[in-house]
Amino acid sequence: MKKPLIKKKYKIALLVLLIICIASYISSVAILYNSGYRLSNYKEDAKKFLGFDSRFFNAETWFENTIATTKQAKYTINKDIDSINIISNNSDIRIYPNNSNELSLEFSISGKESIVKDFNSKEIKFNKNGGTLTFNTENLDSSINYNTINISIPKSYNKNLTIKPTLSQISIINLNLNNLNIKGDTSSVELSDIKATNVDVETLGDISCTNSNFKNSKIKNDNGKIYCNGYFGNSSIECYSGEIDFSFTKLGSSTSISNTHGIINIYNRGNVSDYSLNAKTRNGEIIALNDKTFDKKIYTKKFGNGKDILSIKSTESGVINID
């Protein structure tokens, strides 16, 4: 007769241990529950320890349905408003002009039912301090899956606009401004048909500037692509390891384009004739197709009177293409 794998006395011992474990677990849960312990009380500690974002870890709303809602607000833009500030976390922002004298805002979110209910109970507020009008979503962003902000600004408004986003996609179209300032983390920025005296954009994501007309500009990111088309005036365009496409229709007196790694593409789209081009790379390559120049480390050329300076530099291993 074949011997059993586990002797009977050991089976009984294991069964007793299992019963003790189950009883201990049930009694522990009962004690913790009666003492007021809730898993949700420790969600902030869990978030810090495990690196969870509260939008994804919330024991209280885990099994709730996800729904969507939209809130609207308006503010009359008088002549005393000289700056508009938008401060937002996790929001996709779209800004465009309107033909009225009011700033019109739509804030749409999707999230768990209780979160949306709490959102609907709050009022969208604009804070006016002197000549600065600020909209801040800090008191509205809480465990939201996704949210968007649509803002239309009076077409006649031509002063200052500042956006401070986090984890956002920014789109601004057809505005005429004095100063435009956008600085945010892991955001992408798209500017189309923007005319401005001073533009300062710095982010980690992609930057696209189409049909631009900037008197002075500073554009910088880390790893995303930078696409520039139009006039950028006295400008500094800088990227660490992404690709830069620079298509100019005219130049300011000083234009500087640089990266550490990646490709820089330069296109003269306006038949600009009076400028000096200076290009340099350390370990990369310079290609100037019109001159049939290949595999160079330094390239200089003067066009016309050479009064405007276009400087291109790749400090490490970038490739510079000049068309």
Side-chain angles (χ1 to χ4, degrees), residues 8 30 40 42 46 49 78 113-114 121 155 211 243 248 293:
K8 185 176 181 180
S40 59
Y42 298 88
F49 181 75
N78 296 317
E113 289 181 76
S114 59
S121 69
K155 194 172 183 178
N211 296 330
E243 180 177 343
F248 60 94
T293 298

Side-chain angles (χ1 to χ4, degrees), residues 147-171:
N147 62 83
T148 60
I149 301 173
N150 287 320
I151 301 173
S152 64
I153 296 175
K155 194 172 183 178
S156 59
Y157 181 80
N158 59 2
K159 298 179 182 178
N160 305 316
L161 175 62
T162 297
I163 304 174
K164 297 179 181 179
T166 303
L167 297 171
S168 305
Q169 293 183 357
I170 312 299
S171 174

Side-chain angles (χ1 to χ4, degrees), residues 84 86 95 153 157-164 170-183 189-202 208-209 212-214 216-219:
I84 297 174
I86 309 297
I95 301 176
I153 296 175
Y157 181 80
N158 59 2
K159 298 179 182 178
N160 305 316
L161 175 62
T162 297
I163 304 174
K164 297 179 181 179
I170 312 299
S171 174
I172 307 175
I173 61 172
N174 199 24
L175 291 181
N176 186 349
L177 300 166
N178 183 30
N179 296 305
L180 174 60
N181 187 296
I182 304 172
K183 293 191 177 181
V189 176
E190 182 178 351
L191 307 178
S192 181
D193 297 298
I194 302 297
K195 183 177 181 181
T197 303
N198 301 297
V199 173
D200 189 350
V201 178
E202 184 174 347
S208 174
C209 305
S212 305
N213 189 345
F214 306 153
N216 302 289
S217 59
K218 181 180 179 182
I219 300 170

Side-chain angles (χ1 to χ4, degrees), residues 77-286:
I77 303 298
N78 296 317
K79 292 182 178 180
D80 63 328
I81 301 294
D82 54 32
S83 294
I84 297 174
N85 295 346
I86 309 297
I87 304 171
S88 180
N89 294 325
N90 312 313
S91 302
D92 289 344
I93 302 172
R94 181 173 179 262
I95 301 176
Y96 52 93
N98 65 48
N99 293 318
S100 73
N101 66 341
E102 292 181 324
L103 183 153
S104 179
L105 184 146
E106 286 189 352
F107 194 166
S108 301
I109 75 163
S110 66
K112 298 296 185 178
E113 289 181 76
S114 59
I115 301 300
V116 171
K117 183 178 178 181
D118 180 64
F119 172 82
N120 284 329
S121 69
K122 297 175 181 178
E123 182 183 358
I124 291 181
K125 294 181 179 180
F126 297 94
N127 178 40
K128 186 176 181 294
N129 184 6
T132 301
L133 182 69
T134 300
F135 172 67
N136 191 339
T137 68
E138 187 177 31
N139 69 318
L140 299 171
D141 290 342
S142 176
S143 302
I144 295 171
N145 292 344
Y146 180 72
N147 62 83
T148 60
I149 301 173
N150 287 320
I151 301 173
S152 64
I153 296 175
K155 194 172 183 178
S156 59
Y157 181 80
N158 59 2
K159 298 179 182 178
N160 305 316
L161 175 62
T162 297
I163 304 174
K164 297 179 181 179
T166 303
L167 297 171
S168 305
Q169 293 183 357
I170 312 299
S171 174
I172 307 175
I173 61 172
N174 199 24
L175 291 181
N176 186 349
L177 300 166
N178 183 30
N179 296 305
L180 174 60
N181 187 296
I182 304 172
K183 293 191 177 181
D185 296 331
T186 61
S187 301
S188 65
V189 176
E190 182 178 351
L191 307 178
S192 181
D193 297 298
I194 302 297
K195 183 177 181 181
T197 303
N198 301 297
V199 173
D200 189 350
V201 178
E202 184 174 347
T203 183
L204 299 180
D206 294 342
I207 300 173
S208 174
C209 305
T210 306
N211 296 330
S212 305
N213 189 345
F214 306 153
K215 187 173 182 180
N216 302 289
S217 59
K218 181 180 179 182
I219 300 170
K220 181 180 179 181
N221 72 2
D222 274 357
N223 300 309
K225 181 175 181 178
I226 297 178
Y227 174 78
C228 296
N229 170 266
Y231 172 55
F232 294 85
N234 298 317
S235 57
S236 171
I237 300 171
E238 183 180 346
C239 180
Y240 177 71
S241 63
E243 180 177 343
I244 299 175
D245 271 10
F246 184 72
S247 298
F248 60 94
T249 55
K250 61 179 180 176
L251 289 170
S253 61
S254 176
T255 300
S256 172
I257 301 173
S258 64
N259 72 359
T260 302
H261 308 281
I263 299 173
I264 299 176
N265 299 311
I266 305 297
Y267 306 98
N268 184 347
R269 298 304 191 200
N271 296 318
V272 180
S273 57
D274 293 325
Y275 69 101
S276 295
L277 191 153
N278 303 310
K280 181 169 64 174
T281 181
R282 182 177 178 182
N283 298 312
E285 177 185 10
I286 298 174

Side-chain angles (χ1 to χ4, degrees), residues 13-29:
L14 289 172
L15 181 61
V16 171
L17 288 173
L18 178 61
I19 293 172
I20 292 173
C21 289
I22 293 172
S24 298
Y25 174 79
I26 293 172
S27 60
S28 298
V29 170

